[in-house]
Amino acid sequence: MRIVIIGGSGHIGTFLVPRLVRAGHEVINISRGTRTAYAEAPEWQQVRQVVADREQEDSAGTFGDRVAALNPAIVVDLVCFTLDSATALVERLRGEVGHLLHCGTLWRYGPSDKLPISETTGTPPVGEYGVHKDRIARMLKEETASGGLVTTSLHPGHIVGPGWQPINPVGNLDPAVWYALSAGLPLRIPGIGVEMMHHVHADDVAQAFERAIEHREAAAGEDFNVVAPTALNVRGFADIAAGWFGQTATLEPVTWEEFRQGTSGEHADNSWEHLWRSHCLTIEKARLRLGFAPRYEPEAAVLESVRWLIDHGDLRVANPLII
């Protein structure tokens, strides 16, 4: 089948596009053309590249026409962030495309009340990003339920893998956290360290999209959590990460006010955004309906990211990895 990927040069597309090519599909990637995939693969030589600025073409009302003109059987939208953009694409593709798949986020759920969170038990989202993603998922579900376009939305956790910084044990992207853990230095953690994060390797997200394409009937009109088999809390994550360098984590619990005083504004804000939600999701629905079987536990997925960053000189640590 001909599959159009919107935004296929990013984290998920790096793994999804080669998967689909290997499965025998004709793949077209629409992107701004400003970067290549995070990891090389020979399958990219078989992919047709289309350069387009989605934001500009959405404003002009022409993006849906561009996608439809490629005559896809399936469209995978990895870079849609507003309800208006999603609605415009659905209305243009209705009756012309067999399946539209959308990439959502675990931030469609607000702070956890009960764990693990299923697709129907999360609290309402907070923050513009999560609110928009939740509205998109609900619109897509209603579109299919009303007899319109067949749609599916998949909601990944904190995506990790080679080529970019993973969310670290205090819930931000501060490289100093990895240095402290590698050196056995004290690490200040906000709260008591039981707050949770739910990572997922980008290739496991790609697998979920591939399974949803293969099992269109089971995926039609549905939304799915896509995360690693288990989640990590702050203390456990820090202990595991320190062990990669032959160290033992020395943690200093502090109040959020104290944490903010000793952490730069951006990193402190990121920690708050990740940890106060304390997300842990269940993937039973994706397992049962799609046959989703993630390969990576969260610590293995993060370790792969850290190793890549160290090997490429993008992360300074005090000691080498011992595993």
Side-chain angles (χ1 to χ4, degrees), residues 54-134:
R54 187 199 189 134
E55 186 174 353
Q56 289 184 359
E57 295 193 12
D58 266 342
S59 297
T62 60
F63 185 71
D65 291 333
R66 177 185 288 278
V67 176
L70 297 171
N71 297 314
I74 297 168
V75 174
V76 179
D77 192 350
L78 300 177
V79 289
C80 182
F81 305 107
T82 69
L83 181 60
D84 287 345
S85 179
T87 301
L89 186 62
V90 165
E91 291 178 348
R92 181 60 182 86
L93 299 183
R94 187 183 296 130
E96 296 195 30
V97 170
H99 195 183
L100 171 66
L101 298 96
H102 168 80
C103 184
T105 173
L106 87 168
W107 280 21
R108 71 172 302 195
Y109 308 117
S112 58
D113 280 348
K114 181 179 180 180
L115 299 176
I117 301 168
S118 75
E119 289 79 358
T120 60
T121 61
T123 62
V126 292
E128 184 177 2
Y129 176 62
V131 168
H132 275 292
K133 284 293 194 177
D134 183 60

